[in-house]
């Protein structure tokens, strides 16, 4: 039984499709589903007929917003595939997906090469240690250049690109590729549904042999067995080359590069073959590790360990998407939610095809499925066997940077809006809902303007609510420019019974980033347990700075002296003294306001560059670069986030709808207003 289950695991591939906006991820996913026989009609993004972009907003906007899981079969293998968003506002969707994937296909535009979000998702995959293969798409476009795209991969992403294909034809004449591993040509006729293997065309033989030699040399540098054979025989056999490519892909020492045109259905079959041949199965990845150090290997007969990575509300019920790392679940099983510390019952198990589902009786280690019946599980929850608990590290969530105020147009809809917002935050952990304590407004925070637009529109469409939205506000910070020394604060309170007494002396000075606390008190004037309370009180004080009640960062606080009372001192007294003491010290410091800044990459026609540069300068943008690619100009700049609201509409009007931009947070920078508060 165990042998059969392990054999099953070797035929499973869990992979994601990663790329910049408009590189062709969704089209590639649609062609994969068509090539594997999962669908019988090619879905098109521009027609709104894709399987994975099934949400009405995705079809209206023509972009992927929500990570969608699909499952298909190829050459005796089951491929569980997640089509991830390419827009930076939805990077958390990518993060949660990468947390549960074993491999990925990174898609690059053959004209643009590595684009900003391509680099971002590549770095995300690096952090998770996810092996990748690269697919250079759109070779049929004017200006497409495989070698230039590969050079940008090498220069900007720094892997060792291992190109295993040579294009046949260029731009409109692109008809196929030469497979450099098996030394054969693969030709796609316009009216053919499948690829036709042929001998390498005579006019490409010399170039194919030259590139095969370069591939062998590159692989020999990375793989000891390949190096030994290369030095002995002077070349690599097909079997040795394929095995070495598999090993260096799985270790991350190299990345196999393929090419094609997803829109024209060229290059899909070799890509699927490469997924099966080079990317790992669940048995090939290290055992998952719990926060307590426990390990669980991919064994269906081991105790259950699964991670919930996505929650979705559907008309038929609440779906929880899970990746099983070990063990087995069946319909009706009871599992333990380690985070909520409660038992849950599995109602149904579903094999997911985007918005369609097929019910299955069981799921085993290595599977990615959706389950119905879980009430408390959230994205990041660990599901495990009740008698063998384990807690898995949840996906990290980025800090929201843009906020809008939302309110129901009518008072009767206030409760419904609260319910809708709670469900929204449950499905997307990168959205944060809170009530502003000063204004009483309900505010929704997210990763960008588009992120919030999509969230509000989802409330309007999904719940039929008329929602009012205020201007987005950014999250400012305050920092210390010039500190103070020897700030004394004495906290004395006597109101009957035991009193409160704490005496602290604080030094405050600037720090490059974050918060640092230290104590130089000697002679036991402040006991160690009170020192910890002082640090906690200082952290309390940093939640609101003196300039505008914004969080404070970039500060070092040193406790230099203090005093205690034999009866009235306590941890609470010292925590209170530290909070009020640091608040007073900050009022005596020179403070500066920090605003979030983003790196903007704007792609526009060359004739619109002047207007775009002027507009960015008017938004306090600092231009960092400008290059020309295939008739378009790509401008990069650092711009305050507050100046970007409404920029998408402005850019479209300046470029007749031909301009696009992406933005990624890069931190905080001093705002134009610097204030000094004197005591």
């Amino acid at each position: 039984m165990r042998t059969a289950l392990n054999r099953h695991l070797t035929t499973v591939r869990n992979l994601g499709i990663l790329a910049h906006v408009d590189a062709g991820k969704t089209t590639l996913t649609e062609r994969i589903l068509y090539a594997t026989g999962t669908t019988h009609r090619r879905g098109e993004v521009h027609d709104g007929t894709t399987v994975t972009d099934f949400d009405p907003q995705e079809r209206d906007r023509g972009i992927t917003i929500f990570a969608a899981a699909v499952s298909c079969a190829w050459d005796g293998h089951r491929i569980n595939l997640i089509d991830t968003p390419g827009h930076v506002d939805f990077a958390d969707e990518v993060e949660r997906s990468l947390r549960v994937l074993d491999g990925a296909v990174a898609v690059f535009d053959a004209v643009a090469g590595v684009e900003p979000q391509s680099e971002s998702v590549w770095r995300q995959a690096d952090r998770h240690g996810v092996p990748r293969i690269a697919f250079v798409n759109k070779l049929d476009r004017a200006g497409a250049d495989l070698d230039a795209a590969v050079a940008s991969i090498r220069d900007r992403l720094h892997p060792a690109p291992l190109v295993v294909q040579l294009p046949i034809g260029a731009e409109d004449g692109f008809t196929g590729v030469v497979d450099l591993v098996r030394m054969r040509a693969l030709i796609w006729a316009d009216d053919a549904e499948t690829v036709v293997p042929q001998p390498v065309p005579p006019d490409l033989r010399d170039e194919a042999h030259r590139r095969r030699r370069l591939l062998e040399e590159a692989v020999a540098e990375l793989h000891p067995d390949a190096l030994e054979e290369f030095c002995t025989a002077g070349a690599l056999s097909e079997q040795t080359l394929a095995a070495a490519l598999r090993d260096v892909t799985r270790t991350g020492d190299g990345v196999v590069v393929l090419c094609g045109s997803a829109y024209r259905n060229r290059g899909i079959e070799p890509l699927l073959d490469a997924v099966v041949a080079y990317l790992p199965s669940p048995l090939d990845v290290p055992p998952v590790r719990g926060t307590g150090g426990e390990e669980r290997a991919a064994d269906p007969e081991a105790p259950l360990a699964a991670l919930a990575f996505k929650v979705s509300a559907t008309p038929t019920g609440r779906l929880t998407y899970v990746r099983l790392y070990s063990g087995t679940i069946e319909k009706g099983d009871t599992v333990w939610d380690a985070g909520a510390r409660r038992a849950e019952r599995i109602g149904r198990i579903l094999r997911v095809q985007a918005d369609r589902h097929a019910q299955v009786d069981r799921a085993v280690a290595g599977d990615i499925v959706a389950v119905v019946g879980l009430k408390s599980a959230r994205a990041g929850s660990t599901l495990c066997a009740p008698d063998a608990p384990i807690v898995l590290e949840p996906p990290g969530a980025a800090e929201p940077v843009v906020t809008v105020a939302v309110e129901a147009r009518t008072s009767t809809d206030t409760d419904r809006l609260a319910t809708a917002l709670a469900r929204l935050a449950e499905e997307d952990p990168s959205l944060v809902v809170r009530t502003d304590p000063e204004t009483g407004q309900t505010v929704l925070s997210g990763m960008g303007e588009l992120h919030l637009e999509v969230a509000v529109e989802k409330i309007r469409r999904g719940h039929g609510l008329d929602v009012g939205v205020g201007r987005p506000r950014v999250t400012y910070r305050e920092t210390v420019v010039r500190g103070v020394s020897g700030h004394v604060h004495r906290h004395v309170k006597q109101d009957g019974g035991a009193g409160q007494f704490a005496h602290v002396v604080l030094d405050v000075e600037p720090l490059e980033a974050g918060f640092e606390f230290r104590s130089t008190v000697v002679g036991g004037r402040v006991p160690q347990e009170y020192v910890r309370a002082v640090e906690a009180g200082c952290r309390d004080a940093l939640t609101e700075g003196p300039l505008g009640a914004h969080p404070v960062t970039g500060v070092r606080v040193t406790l230099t002296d203090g005093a205690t009372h034999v009866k009235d001192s306590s941890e609470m007294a010292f925590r209170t003294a530290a909070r009020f003491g640091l608040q007073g010290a900050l009022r005596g410091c020179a403070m500066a306001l920090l605003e979030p800044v983003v790196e903007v990459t704007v792609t526009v026609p060359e004739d619109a560059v002047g207007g775009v540069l002027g507009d960015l300068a008017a938004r306090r943008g600092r231009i960092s670069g400008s290059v020309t690619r295939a008739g378009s100009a790509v401008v990069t700049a650092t711009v305050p986030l507050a100046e970007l609201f409404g920029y998408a509409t402005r850019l479209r009007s300046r470029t007749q709808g031909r301009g696009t931009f992406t933005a990624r947070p890069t931190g905080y920078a001093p705002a134009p207003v610097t204030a000094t508060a004197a005591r």
Side-chain angles (χ1 to χ4, degrees), residues 85-144:
H87 197 285
V88 67
D89 280 18
F90 309 104
D92 260 29
E93 283 275 318
V94 182
E95 185 76 15
R96 290 191 293 275
S97 299
L98 284 170
R99 176 64 178 81
V100 299
L101 295 173
D102 301 326
V105 175
V107 184
F108 300 94
D109 188 316
V111 178
V114 175
E115 298 173 272
Q117 191 61 11
S118 310
E119 190 169 353
S120 296
V121 296
W122 189 273
R123 301 303 175 211
Q124 285 179 284
D126 280 342
R127 290 198 303 272
H128 289 279
V130 175
R132 278 141 282 169
I133 58 179
F135 182 74
V136 179
N137 191 26
K138 302 188 178 182
L139 275 184
D140 58 321
R141 286 185 59 198

Side-chain angles (χ1 to χ4, degrees), residues 96 99-100 305-311 318-325 337 369 371 374 376-384 392-395 429:
R96 290 191 293 275
R99 176 64 178 81
V100 299
L307 184 70
F309 65 95
K310 182 179 176 68
V311 175
R318 184 177 185 269
L319 295 183
T320 305
Y321 294 78
V322 298
R323 160 69 192 268
L324 276 71
Y325 289 98
D337 184 335
V369 295
V371 296
L374 305 185
S376 62
R378 302 289 185 267
S381 295
T382 300
L383 304 178
C384 56
L392 304 179
E393 186 72 28

Side-chain angles (χ1 to χ4, degrees), residues 132-194:
R132 278 141 282 169
I133 58 179
F135 182 74
V136 179
N137 191 26
K138 302 188 178 182
L139 275 184
D140 58 321
R141 286 185 59 198
D145 188 332
L146 175 62
D147 291 338
V150 171
S152 71
I153 293 173
R154 180 187 296 107
D155 296 341
R156 297 189 61 179
L157 305 181
H158 310 298
L162 306 171
V163 184
V164 298
Q165 293 177 340
L166 169 66
I168 299 175
E171 300 180 354
D172 283 342
F174 171 67
T175 58
V177 298
V178 175
D179 179 353
L180 298 177
V181 177
R182 303 179 69 176
M183 291 306 290
R184 61 178 184 170
L186 302 173
I187 307 296
W188 288 270
D190 286 336
D191 56 348
E193 293 293 330
T194 58

Side-chain angles (χ1 to χ4, degrees), residues 442-519:
T442 299
V443 293
L444 178 65
S445 303
M447 303 307 301
E449 189 174 5
L450 179 59
H451 189 204
L452 295 180
E453 283 181 13
V454 168
V456 171
E457 188 63 23
K458 191 171 184 179
I459 292 175
R460 288 171 175 156
R461 295 188 183 192
H463 299 270
L465 290 171
D466 187 9
V467 180
V469 179
R471 177 178 170 81
R473 294 175 293 178
V474 299
T475 53
Y476 291 91
R477 296 287 185 269
E478 299 177 27
T479 192
V480 175
V481 177
R482 186 180 67 251
V484 296
S485 299
H487 181 83
V488 179
H489 186 83
R490 182 185 295 262
H491 175 65
V492 181
K493 186 177 182 181
Q494 191 72 45
D495 53 3
Q500 294 184 27
F501 177 88
H503 177 91
V504 295
V505 181
L506 304 173
D507 286 354
V508 179
E509 56 187 316
L511 188 66
E512 185 174 343
F515 166 67
E516 182 181 308
F517 175 84
R518 60 186 182 182
S519 171

Side-chain angles (χ1 to χ4, degrees), residues 107 123 197 227 230 257 291 323 385 429 472 491 495 510 531 536-537 623 644:
V107 184
R123 301 303 175 211
L227 177 61
F230 188 80
V257 181
T291 55
R323 160 69 192 268
H491 175 65
D495 53 3
V531 172
I623 309 299
L644 277 184

